[in-house]
Amino acid sequence: MRLINFFFLLNTFRSTVMDYEHNLTHIRVAGYVELNKFRYFFFCIMFVVYSLILCSNFTIVYLICVHKDLHRPMYIFIAALLLNCSVFSTTVYPKLLIDFLSEEQIISYSACLFQFFMFYCGSGSEFLLLAAMAYDRYVSICKPLRYAAIMKKKNIIVLLIFACLIPPLHISVLTILSSKAKICKFDLNGIFCNNTMYKLHCLRSKFLTIFGVVALVDLSILPMLFTLFTYTKIFLISYQSCKEFRRKAAETCFPHLLVLFSFSCLVFYDVIIARVDSDIPETLRFIMTLQMILYHPLFNPFIYGLKMKEISKYLKKILCGAKRAENV
């Protein structure tokens, strides 16, 4: 009996060691093009962009936090969206900056799984936050008398928790299943770990594919359809009202629609390029992937900073104060 227990413990230890070695497997990040020639150029561009993303996002979040007249549901959701955007960028940019300066672009499989998890959690949270913002605008414009009762503090907290917890619950399943999959390829055809990671597996699990589609529907397609349906209803109701009402509805809804369109294009590209085996030239794939992580994280703070009057008002005060300080 003791001998059987010994062999059982030995087998358990062996499987644990194998799992540990599996997670320490290093993947070569093979999506870079002409890196030796433009190494420092890419690094400088990405460093400046990353700095702009963090500074612009945190500036607007700071303004929303310190000014009490911005402590309203719409601005709270905007602050949450910008914080999520900063986390989303931090998932990708630091590793990119390291790769640009490294002779060999590699990542451990466990780190790749973590990047995959954080990337898609951020993506799912963004869609859910945009859906929550659409609902907030619908109640504000179409049911103004009930707005205070519906969008009270408790409900806002519930929506924020929902947007933060639902994506990890979905993506953790995909991450765990991917961690158990056997790897046959060690070259990642991309510059960070997204859906291209599935092509490293020896055999793509049917359950992994099915649950991936479920996660895509739950975290992207359904929130996007809800958002579009909500704004369509807002515009139909505002069309029947006076010109001033239509103008105000357009002013508050247009920035959210721009952000939704921008992020939907990002997700569409991610699904098409990463999931479908297509003969896309490496240079074109590299440029399109860079665009995916360059434009959108910068797009959010500039749209909300310039298009939302209350926020742009405080931004102008900061800029005017800086100019006065320089003149003095």
Side-chain angles (χ1 to χ4, degrees), residues 109 113 116-117 120-121 167-181 194-195 197-198 201 204-217 219 275:
Y109 189 59
L113 288 169
F116 170 89
F117 175 78
Y120 287 109
C121 282
L169 290 175
H170 282 74
I171 305 304
S172 60
V173 176
L174 296 173
T175 307
I176 291 168
L177 290 172
S178 296
S179 70
K180 301 295 181 184
N194 56 353
N195 277 325
M197 189 182 69
Y198 292 138
H201 300 166
R204 185 177 292 181
S205 164
K206 286 185 178 179
F207 182 74
L208 185 63
T209 303
I210 292 168
F211 197 84
V213 173
V214 171
L216 177 67
V217 171
L219 302 179
R275 301 285 272 186

Side-chain angles (χ1 to χ4, degrees), residues 12-26 108-111 113 179-180 183:
T12 304
F13 176 75
R14 181 173 170 272
S15 63
T16 304
V17 171
M18 287 180 68
D19 286 341
Y20 178 73
E21 289 177 347
H22 173 73
N23 287 331
L24 283 181
T25 302
H26 283 84
S108 67
Y109 189 59
S110 56
L113 288 169
S179 70
K180 301 295 181 184
I183 301 173

Side-chain angles (χ1 to χ4, degrees), residues 69-70 72 75 307-315:
D69 59 325
L70 297 180
R72 287 180 275 166
Y75 297 107
K307 290 291 183 181
M308 305 301 287
K309 284 186 176 180
E310 294 297 318
I311 296 175
S312 64
K313 177 180 70 176
Y314 289 114
L315 281 174

Side-chain angles (χ1 to χ4, degrees), residues 130-179:
L130 287 170
M133 292 163 75
Y135 179 70
D136 171 70
R137 291 299 83 206
Y138 170 75
V139 177
S140 174
I141 294 169
C142 302
K143 299 180 180 180
L145 298 178
R146 296 184 59 197
Y147 183 77
I150 296 174
M151 299 305 294
K152 52 189 177 182
K153 186 178 179 180
K154 181 182 175 182
N155 293 339
I156 294 167
I157 292 171
V158 169
L159 288 172
L160 289 173
I161 291 173
F162 183 82
C164 292
L165 290 184
I166 294 300
L169 290 175
H170 282 74
I171 305 304
S172 60
V173 176
L174 296 173
T175 307
I176 291 168
L177 290 172
S178 296
S179 70

Side-chain angles (χ1 to χ4, degrees), residues 68-294:
K68 290 185 178 180
D69 59 325
L70 297 180
H71 293 181
R72 287 180 275 166
M74 180 175 69
Y75 297 107
I76 292 170
F77 288 129
I78 288 174
L81 190 75
L82 297 181
L83 285 173
N84 181 71
C85 188
S86 298
V87 173
F88 177 85
S89 301
T90 304
T91 301
V92 178
Y93 275 84
K95 181 64 174 76
L96 285 181
L97 294 174
I98 293 169
D99 283 345
F100 287 139
L101 296 181
S102 303
E103 291 298 324
E104 190 178 10
Q105 292 73 44
I106 59 171
I107 185 171
S108 67
Y109 189 59
S110 56
C112 190
L113 288 169
F114 179 73
Q115 191 177 57
F116 170 89
F117 175 78
M118 293 300 296
F119 181 80
Y120 287 109
C121 282
S123 301
S125 291
E126 177 129 356
F127 272 116
L128 291 172
L129 285 169
L130 287 170
M133 292 163 75
Y135 179 70
D136 171 70
R137 291 299 83 206
Y138 170 75
V139 177
S140 174
I141 294 169
C142 302
K143 299 180 180 180
L145 298 178
R146 296 184 59 197
Y147 183 77
I150 296 174
M151 299 305 294
K152 52 189 177 182
K153 186 178 179 180
K154 181 182 175 182
N155 293 339
I156 294 167
I157 292 171
V158 169
L159 288 172
L160 289 173
I161 291 173
F162 183 82
C164 292
L165 290 184
I166 294 300
L169 290 175
H170 282 74
I171 305 304
S172 60
V173 176
L174 296 173
T175 307
I176 291 168
L177 290 172
S178 296
S179 70
K180 301 295 181 184
K182 188 178 179 182
I183 301 173
C184 286
K185 297 178 182 178
F186 298 92
D187 287 347
L188 183 74
N189 193 17
I191 60 175
F192 62 91
C193 296
N194 56 353
N195 277 325
T196 51
M197 189 182 69
Y198 292 138
K199 295 179 183 178
L200 302 175
H201 300 166
C202 300
L203 183 66
R204 185 177 292 181
S205 164
K206 286 185 178 179
F207 182 74
L208 185 63
T209 303
I210 292 168
F211 197 84
V213 173
V214 171
L216 177 67
V217 171
D218 287 351
L219 302 179
S220 300
I221 295 175
L222 288 179
M224 183 176 65
L225 291 175
F226 173 82
T227 306
L228 289 173
F229 172 78
T230 304
Y231 284 126
T232 302
K233 200 165 184 179
I234 290 171
F235 287 129
L236 288 174
I237 292 170
S238 63
Y239 182 75
Q240 299 169 0
S241 304
C242 65
K243 188 176 180 180
E244 183 65 18
F245 185 84
R246 289 199 300 269
R247 185 183 64 80
K248 286 183 179 179
E251 281 181 359
T252 55
C253 296
F254 187 63
H256 306 313
L257 284 172
L258 280 177
V259 172
L260 176 68
F261 176 76
S262 169
F263 199 68
S264 298
C265 290
L266 183 155
V267 172
F268 178 76
Y269 166 80
D270 181 71
V271 171
I272 295 298
I273 300 300
R275 301 285 272 186
V276 179
D277 293 323
S278 51
D279 297 324
I280 297 175
E282 286 186 4
T283 305
L284 181 60
R285 184 189 291 269
F286 177 63
I287 292 170
M288 291 177 73
T289 306
L290 280 180
Q291 288 178 342
M292 184 173 73
I293 58 175
L294 274 172

